[in-house]
Amino acid sequence: MNSKETKEVKLTCFGCGCELQNTNPSLTGYTPKPIGKDGTVLCQRCYRLQHYGETKEEAVVMPNYKEIFSKSMKKHNLIIYVVDLFAFESSIVRDVHPFIKDNPILVVANKRDVLPKSVDDNKLKQFVFDRLAEEGIHPKEVAIGSAYKNYNIEEILQFVLDNRDGKDVYIIGASSVGKSSLINALLKIYKNETKTMISTSPYPGTTVDTISVPLDNKTKLFDTPGVIVPSSIFASVETNAMKYIIPRTEIKPKTFQLNSKQSLIVGGIARFDFEKTGKTNCTLYVSNEVDVHRCKLSKANSVFESLVSKENIHPISASINSIEKLERHEVVLPETKVDIYISGYCWLSLEGKNQTIVIWAPSGVDVVVRQCKI
């Protein structure tokens, strides 16, 4: 091959899909190894992830999602839309919906393993159907699964094989929903010859460009980059806070009986103030690694600032050192059981009785009141 042809070859990291380069260690795709014909080379970032579980803040080239999705959806391919059962509201990718709504869609509601075992799968499935219908998405099927625990993976694969009609398959979803982990779980039981696994990590943005894996001689399975939802907690706090925010094990619901003028401090980045409520029974669903502190509303500001400044609560963010750094949301609850979501972070389940509750959350993160999930 001559030098001109060599320059035209684009080799990508199999782990994250980014174009490989060995000139700038601070940019995506860097590898200290010579870049030759071997398409299974990992960039330095993915090598650290796969061998040591390490990651670091670095410049990431954001892909053109519109171009990726508009090209991939033209042929009416099967779409696997992965959502996060824990952080459901922050896993809805509305910008992608116009490109997939006319395709056959399988929704995989991932991370079943982090929700309480007592919750009925059929109730979860109906919740996902109903919420996506509100968003204009009507899937052929919703599968409740866990890539980490291999829960329902065989059933998911069988649906894919029965419904792809000999065409390519595209997996889409928000960052951190577990798309790459799902692909790896599917490939472990699918009879293909590739033994290389896609990079996975608990942190958002692991896949930075489209990755393709052969299904047969003519078709492929594509892992598209996780779409960063700007209204999610993931877009508002540092990577080192994610190890507290993203659950790794089954969450243990925390139940409280709160009176008026009491507060729940949820980590160093959120707070619920019960201003005009009377006695309220509520259950908080949040990662077990997040510290929760109850106090009087009159002392909530000073308690919050003390906990954060002394780092006696987790997670914390360098940009949040007082309650003034958070955005205030006031809601009056309807007379029905509801969930109050802080997108991607937690939700509070309670019986609505026209109570007034103030929620403090990082600026730009959605706070919504929705039907109960569980």
Side-chain angles (χ1 to χ4, degrees):
M1 183 178 289
N2 61 40
S3 59
K4 181 177 180 180
E5 290 175 325
T6 301
K7 291 180 181 179
E8 293 175 350
V9 174
K10 176 184 176 182
L11 290 177
T12 58
C13 170
F14 191 89
C16 68
C18 65
E19 185 172 0
L20 292 168
Q21 53 91 13
N22 51 20
T23 57
N24 191 336
S26 67
L27 295 180
T28 300
Y30 175 75
T31 175
K33 296 181 179 180
I35 303 174
K37 296 181 180 180
D38 187 357
T40 62
V41 172
L42 291 174
C43 69
Q44 183 168 270
R45 176 173 174 268
C46 287
Y47 183 88
R48 287 171 174 164
L49 279 171
Q50 291 197 6
H51 292 273
Y52 306 111
E54 296 178 356
T55 187
K56 65 174 184 176
E57 301 287 353
E58 60 181 11
V60 175
V61 179
M62 295 302 293
N64 186 331
Y65 292 120
K66 182 176 181 180
E67 180 180 351
I68 291 172
F69 292 131
S70 61
K71 286 182 178 179
S72 64
M73 307 309 168
K74 287 181 180 179
K75 296 182 179 179
H76 210 63
N77 300 112
L78 175 65
I79 307 301
I80 301 178
Y81 187 174
V82 187
V83 295
D84 186 331
L85 275 173
F86 173 76
F88 185 82
E89 294 300 321
S90 67
S91 67
I92 298 176
V93 190
R94 294 178 179 85
D95 289 345
V96 180
H97 291 179
F99 302 104
I100 69 169
K101 61 185 180 64
D102 296 325
N103 290 66
I105 300 172
L106 165 65
V107 170
V108 175
N110 195 26
K111 303 188 182 181
R112 173 64 183 89
D113 57 295
V114 304
L115 294 188
K117 293 183 178 69
S118 59
V119 180
D120 182 63
D121 279 10
N122 290 324
K123 183 174 182 180
L124 291 172
K125 183 181 290 190
Q126 192 59 53
F127 169 82
V128 175
F129 266 120
D130 292 344
R131 276 294 293 115
L132 289 179
E134 294 176 14
E135 303 290 337
I137 296 297
H138 303 279
K140 295 184 68 173
E141 182 59 276
V142 170
I144 305 299
S146 167
Y148 179 67
K149 294 288 188 179
N150 287 317
Y151 183 67
N152 280 346
I153 296 301
E154 290 187 2
E155 291 82 353
I156 292 169
L157 177 60
Q158 193 58 53
F159 182 93
V160 172
L161 297 177
D162 291 343
N163 290 272
R164 75 184 187 94
D165 196 24
K167 298 178 181 178
D168 294 329
V169 178
Y170 286 83
I171 298 190
I172 69 168
S175 292
S176 295
V177 297
K179 294 185 298 86
S180 297
S181 295
L182 176 65
I183 290 179
N184 287 339
L186 293 172
L187 290 180
K188 286 178 181 177
I189 60 174
Y190 181 71
K191 294 181 180 179
N192 72 346
E193 296 181 356
T194 182
K195 294 182 180 179
T196 306
M197 294 289 103
I198 293 169
S199 287
T200 62
S201 165
Y203 309 106
T206 303
T207 301
V208 298
D209 208 344
T210 305
I211 300 169
S212 63
V213 180
L215 290 173
D216 52 40
N217 291 332
K218 295 182 179 179
T219 61
K220 296 180 178 180
L221 182 148
F222 293 91
D223 180 20
T224 61
V227 179
I228 298 175
V229 178
S231 59
S232 166
I233 196 75
F234 303 141
S236 297
V237 299
E238 301 87 343
T239 299
N240 58 13
M242 293 303 158
K243 64 182 179 181
Y244 299 99
I245 292 173
I246 300 175
R248 308 286 189 278
T249 57
E250 180 182 342
I251 58 176
K252 299 175 182 178
K254 298 174 174 62
T255 300
F256 302 90
Q257 185 179 75
L258 296 172
N259 296 318
S260 293
K261 307 301 180 181
Q262 287 191 315
S263 295
L264 276 183
I265 298 172
V266 185
I269 56 177
R271 198 176 85 194
F272 293 88
D273 292 344
F274 289 70
E275 292 198 338
K276 302 174 183 177
T277 60
K279 287 187 177 180
T280 300
N281 294 320
C282 58
T283 302
L284 179 69
Y285 296 86
V286 67
S287 167
N288 300 331
E289 305 304 315
V290 172
D291 297 322
V292 181
H293 189 91
R294 176 166 57 177
C295 65
K296 293 181 179 180
L297 179 57
S298 60
K299 298 182 178 179
N301 287 357
S302 60
V303 171
F304 182 89
E305 291 180 16
S306 176
L307 289 170
V308 170
S309 64
K310 296 177 182 178
E311 298 187 8
N312 286 333
I313 195 167
H314 294 97
I316 58 175
S317 170
S319 62
I320 301 170
N321 55 19
S322 69
I323 202 68
E324 285 77 17
K325 298 293 184 179
L326 299 177
E327 187 174 349
R328 184 181 187 274
H329 306 259
E330 182 175 314
V331 298
V332 178
L333 299 183
E335 294 187 354
T336 184
K337 192 172 182 180
V338 294
D339 291 339
I340 305 173
Y341 291 90
I342 299 178
S343 184
Y345 188 44
C346 66
W347 77 92
L348 192 68
S349 183
L350 68 166
E351 189 74 36
K353 298 178 181 178
N354 295 316
Q355 306 101 312
T356 298
I357 296 179
V358 172
I359 305 97
W360 299 87
S363 180
V365 175
D366 275 350
V367 172
V368 293
V369 178
R370 294 285 189 191
Q371 68 182 85
C372 284
K373 184 184 339 185
I374 59 178

